[in-house]
Amino acid sequence: VLSAILYCFYVNDLFKILRMNGTGCWINSNYFGIIGYSDDSFLLAPSLDSLQEMLNICEKYAETHNLTFSTDPNPDKCKTKCLAFLKSERLIRQVNLCGNPLPWVTHGKHLGNTIENKINGMKRDIMNKRATFIDKNNNLIQEFNFAHPKTKMEMNRIYNNHFTGSPIWDLFSRESEMLYNSWNKSVRLMCDLPLQTHRYFLEPLAQTRQLKFVLLKRFLSFILQIENSQKTLPKLLLQTVKRDCRSVTGSNLRNILLLTRKDTVEELVPDDASQMNYIPVMDENKWRIAMINELIDVKWGKTDIENLSDDDIDAIIEEICTS
């Protein structure tokens, strides 16, 4: 339990040495050259020479404190990797740590999140987690094909909607929209509804907000947590990017402002996502929701309607959902 805290205590002097050395990235007068989380450390450098100097300091610190960095001539076995954020592709000279050259990669994983060497570098992560969501959703439908749709949707919500890392996604990107569409399809499949079912059925049937608004609320909660944090660097970084629409965070905030019609990002709160409308149900169509719920109950044996076969019920459901 104490390992993460003790590790931070053990390497605290390394952070101090790098800060005193001054090599690495700065924002105004604040040092961003090294960032640590648990037993992971990230070096951020504006040039190859500064990165190599920082690696030399880390190597010397490891030697004097009986630490070992994971390096290996084989890139597949080397846990310490380098990403370069370039304007254009070019050959990059190698940097060395503990006598071994470090591999240059285009993406890497941290805490289950895939980070690419691009400004908007989480698109691969969204697609990976979309594929996992679809796979787990299909497995759930197959394993619990006998269960009532409400049971399956609740299980899906609990076990298959975590989407770690989503607060740093571009939540309005094409990849995110594909994920939201996959969530829509999952509700149709779990309820055994036609794939052409109108979207305004989905939230009432799932009895939860559409995934887009769930992730928007998480994003706004993440922003609020940083603003209320006592950590200086995250708060400074947020202040730097939240009004810059070239950043993912700034772009997300601007798009949320457009949806909420508020004037400034300071006015945004997590509950704003709960107030947004997905596809509103027109008054003349509300009877359809109640009837579909009743027909679903009939189909899964929760209630009964005389003189209606399964084919009759399917035909009625298709007519109501698609007409």
Side-chain angles (χ1 to χ4, degrees), residues 132-230:
T132 301
F133 171 79
I134 293 171
D135 183 56
K136 288 184 177 180
N137 187 78
N138 290 336
N139 289 340
L140 188 151
I141 292 172
Q142 292 174 7
E143 293 293 328
F144 297 92
N145 60 85
F146 55 87
H148 192 281
K150 289 183 180 178
T151 301
K152 287 184 282 191
M153 286 187 286
E154 180 64 10
M155 293 176 64
N156 195 51
R157 184 189 66 81
I158 295 172
Y159 296 108
N160 197 23
N161 277 22
H162 41 275
F163 298 112
T164 55
S166 63
I168 53 176
W169 290 353
D170 181 349
L171 297 174
F172 296 86
S173 65
R174 173 179 171 273
E175 289 75 15
S176 292
E177 292 296 335
M178 292 172 65
L179 175 61
Y180 307 148
N181 289 334
S182 295
W183 184 89
N184 290 346
K185 186 175 181 180
S186 76
V187 175
R188 295 183 177 107
L189 291 174
M190 285 185 286
C191 293
D192 197 20
L193 300 177
L195 295 181
Q196 295 78 24
T197 297
H198 296 301
R199 287 179 294 170
Y200 66 75
F201 282 99
L202 303 180
E203 283 189 331
L205 291 177
Q207 295 183 343
T208 185
R209 295 308 316 274
Q210 210 271 354
L211 180 61
K212 178 176 184 177
F213 304 108
V214 173
L215 297 188
L216 288 180
K217 186 171 184 177
R218 290 183 192 175
F219 169 77
L220 291 174
S221 297
F222 176 68
I223 296 298
L224 185 62
Q225 287 175 4
I226 295 177
E227 290 176 340
N228 294 334
S229 171
Q230 297 181 357

Side-chain angles (χ1 to χ4, degrees), residues 44 48 77 99 110 128 136 188 201 212 232 275 289 294 297 315 317:
L44 304 176
L48 289 174
K77 297 180 180 179
H110 180 247
N128 289 345
K136 288 184 177 180
R188 295 183 177 107
F201 282 99
K212 178 176 184 177
T232 302
Q275 307 302 321
I289 304 296
E294 186 174 351
D297 286 343
I317 288 175

Side-chain angles (χ1 to χ4, degrees), residues 23-36:
T23 306
C25 290
W26 293 75
I27 295 180
N28 297 329
S29 58
N30 294 274
Y31 185 66
F32 280 82
I34 183 170
I35 297 174

Side-chain angles (χ1 to χ4, degrees), residues 274-288:
S274 302
Q275 307 302 321
M276 298 176 188
N277 289 323
Y278 180 52
I279 305 292
V281 183
M282 305 297 291
D283 289 340
E284 60 268 26
N285 287 326
K286 289 183 178 179
W287 65 270
R288 296 173 182 254

Side-chain angles (χ1 to χ4, degrees), residues 47-103:
S47 67
L48 289 174
D49 289 337
S50 62
L51 176 60
Q52 184 60 68
E53 185 174 345
M54 296 171 76
L55 290 171
N56 292 341
I57 293 172
C58 290
E59 183 175 336
K60 184 177 179 181
Y61 187 86
E63 289 175 355
T64 56
H65 288 77
N66 197 30
L67 292 172
T68 304
F69 290 103
S70 173
T71 63
D72 194 282
N74 183 349
D76 294 332
K77 297 180 180 179
C78 183
K79 292 184 179 179
T80 308
K81 297 178 172 64
C82 299
L83 283 84
F85 294 81
L86 307 172
K87 288 185 177 180
S88 58
E89 292 295 328
R90 69 175 189 273
L91 185 64
I92 308 172
R93 78 167 189 264
Q94 289 184 319
V95 291
N96 299 284
L97 176 64
C98 299
N100 291 317
L102 298 181

